[in-house]
Amino acid sequence: MKGMNRRSGGSLLMWTLAIQLLLCWSGIYTTDSTDSTKNCKLYSDSESERKVLKRLEPLAQRNFTVDIKNNDEDYTYVFQLCGDALGVPGAGVVQVDNKKKEKKTTIIGTYNATQAYGGSDWVMLIYRNGETYDGHCSKEKRRAMVMISCNKNMDGSKLMSVLEDRERDTDCFYLFELDSGAVCPALQSQLSTGSIILIIGLCVVAVYLIGGFLYQRLIVGAKGMEQFPNYAFWVEVGNLTADGCDFVCRSRSREEAPAYRGVATEPLEEEPEERDDHLLPM
């Protein structure tokens, strides 16, 4: 029965380790396969621009909207990072005219022609190749520019429309702003080298104690203090340490000479008892 318990305990430990490894590998593959920024096609392929897009990964697969209303206009703008804004294929930014009954949708920029520039706490995202203007800007294609700034208190849920610059012959654009914590610089670690070494050491000790305890408990079948890993070794180390400390740190020997030099250390011999029986009168 004891042997069966040991085998079942060992099997349980092996299954636990196998499941942990499987979860670890699945997490790695999931992280690699969910990079939605790869859907963006750069206008001119560049490794630096691809790294800038990678910083915006937390904003992917989300629609950001802003409404613009005045006397003559009633528009809704929808922006999505490297995805179909409002479900329009290839559109990164779209404009919806709410005054028309059919709510006409105009593509402002496509993510198939993307440019991305960034600094320490900002990113400028440009979507090109939108629909052509009807009578402005020499009937060139529309272009959307989204300025994403660092704001640790925002999750990027509020899109703001700044302006539509179409009073020129060329290079017209729509400008938007978006606050997000995704572009904020990463906080530098405040841990020193000694702290890191200490943390690693504590982790190693914890793994040693927990793993050793499980091995002694489930496989060896130990009970009580014998469940402690390498119990006999550590007991011997403790005894040797105590003996060494006693030898090094004790200030005087156990058989120290008396303070007065004139007194001998040897025990005094007992003098023979003098008997005066012969002096008594008979």
Side-chain angles (χ1 to χ4, degrees):
M1 181 64 69
K2 187 174 182 180
M4 293 179 62
N5 292 335
R6 293 181 181 179
R7 287 194 295 270
S8 62
S11 301
L12 178 62
L13 183 60
M14 293 299 296
W15 275 109
T16 303
L17 293 176
I19 292 173
Q20 289 179 348
L21 290 175
L22 180 62
L23 292 175
C24 180
W25 281 104
S26 63
I28 293 174
Y29 287 126
T30 301
T31 302
D32 294 339
S33 60
T34 56
D35 186 5
S36 300
T37 60
K38 292 182 179 179
N39 295 331
C40 279
K41 295 182 180 179
L42 295 176
Y43 191 74
S44 57
D45 200 0
S46 169
E47 184 65 25
S48 61
E49 293 188 41
R50 183 62 62 184
K51 290 181 179 179
V52 173
L53 281 175
K54 184 69 176 178
R55 294 170 54 188
L56 302 177
E57 173 64 25
L59 302 179
Q61 301 179 352
R62 298 172 58 186
N63 281 326
F64 303 99
T65 62
V66 58
D67 295 323
I68 303 298
K69 295 181 179 181
N70 51 44
N71 295 332
D72 300 328
E73 299 177 338
D74 185 2
Y75 294 121
T76 298
Y77 295 94
V78 182
F79 159 68
Q80 185 173 147
L81 176 68
C82 301
D84 298 334
L86 209 61
V88 179
V93 178
V94 297
Q95 178 193 67
V96 180
D97 190 349
N98 296 318
K99 280 196 170 185
K100 296 184 178 182
K101 294 182 178 180
E102 65 276 10
K103 291 189 176 182
K104 179 184 177 182
T105 300
T106 302
I107 299 177
I108 306 299
T110 65
Y111 59 83
N112 294 325
T114 304
Q115 293 176 283
Y117 308 98
S120 60
D121 58 353
W122 62 271
V123 169
M124 174 64 77
L125 187 67
I126 303 175
Y127 285 153
R128 306 175 67 96
N129 293 349
E131 295 184 22
T132 58
Y133 283 98
D134 296 329
H136 303 280
C137 303
S138 303
K139 296 184 178 181
E140 68 176 4
K141 292 184 177 181
R142 289 176 169 86
R143 178 177 56 161
M145 304 175 67
V146 183
M147 183 67 180
I148 305 173
S149 304
C150 169
N151 189 341
K152 296 181 179 180
N153 299 324
M154 297 288 293
D155 60 353
S157 59
K158 186 177 181 181
L159 181 68
M160 296 175 288
S161 176
V162 179
L163 63 90
E164 177 189 358
D165 189 356
R166 62 183 183 180
E167 302 300 327
R168 57 172 69 189
D169 294 334
T170 58
D171 296 331
C172 299
F173 60 89
Y174 293 77
L175 181 61
F176 303 90
E177 286 186 355
L178 183 66
D179 290 336
S180 172
V183 297
C184 295
L187 296 177
Q188 296 182 355
S189 176
Q190 302 295 328
L191 296 177
S192 62
T193 304
S195 300
I196 295 175
I197 294 175
L198 179 60
I199 293 173
I200 294 175
L202 292 176
C203 292
V204 171
V205 171
V207 171
Y208 168 75
L209 292 176
I210 297 174
F213 173 81
L214 292 176
Y215 177 82
Q216 294 290 108
R217 175 77 175 182
L218 300 177
I219 298 179
V220 179
K223 302 293 182 180
M225 292 298 297
E226 294 182 355
Q227 297 177 94
F228 192 88
N230 303 112
Y231 175 73
F233 169 76
W234 292 114
V235 168
E236 185 65 21
V237 169
N239 293 334
L240 293 176
T241 303
D243 293 340
C245 182
D246 180 65
F247 177 78
V248 174
C249 300
R250 191 173 291 277
S251 60
R252 60 181 182 177
S253 63
R254 298 177 180 178
E255 297 181 356
E256 186 176 359
Y260 299 100
R261 296 182 180 179
V263 179
T265 59
E266 293 79 4
L268 297 177
E269 296 182 0
E270 184 178 359
E271 297 181 357
E273 183 180 358
E274 295 183 1
R275 304 185 65 83
D276 55 355
D277 297 343
H278 63 281
L279 299 180
L280 297 176
M282 298 299 297

